[in-house]
Amino acid sequence: VGPALPSMAISKIKTDKNGNPDRAKYRIVVLGNLDPHNWDSTDCFTPVLSSPELQILTAVATQLKRIPKSGDVSQAFVQSI
């Protein structure tokens, strides 16, 4: 396993029909173009949240008094292609 690849956050403000801000969309993407390994085009990797990672995420959200919300995961994979 090599070093972790850098990532960046992408944000977009969605507007209503009058041009007023309606909602914000955020996603985190990995900069795969910086990966030194030449992956085969048939290789496919899907990020999966493990049980300990979910517990840590829930604990941090509780500490910060935040309510965890889920995103539209099915659309995330469709639009990442």
Side-chain angles (χ1 to χ4, degrees):
V1 177
L5 294 174
S7 62
M8 64 185 280
I10 297 176
S11 63
K12 177 157 177 106
I13 305 296
K14 297 286 188 171
T15 56
D16 61 12
K17 60 183 176 182
N18 298 321
N20 299 320
D22 185 35
R23 60 190 166 131
K25 295 182 84 176
Y26 297 93
R27 64 185 167 135
I28 296 177
V29 296
V30 175
L31 300 174
N33 58 319
L34 300 178
D35 188 0
H37 182 72
N38 292 329
W39 295 99
D40 188 339
S41 62
T42 60
D43 291 337
C44 181
F45 300 94
T46 304
V48 177
L49 188 66
S50 68
S51 182
E53 291 168 333
L54 178 60
Q55 291 172 345
I56 291 170
L57 184 63
T58 305
V60 170
T62 303
Q63 284 277 329
L64 298 175
K65 298 181 181 177
R66 304 282 182 171
I67 298 172
K69 296 181 181 179
S70 64
D72 191 356
V73 174
S74 62
Q75 284 296 315
F77 289 108
V78 170
Q79 296 190 18
S80 68
I81 297 175

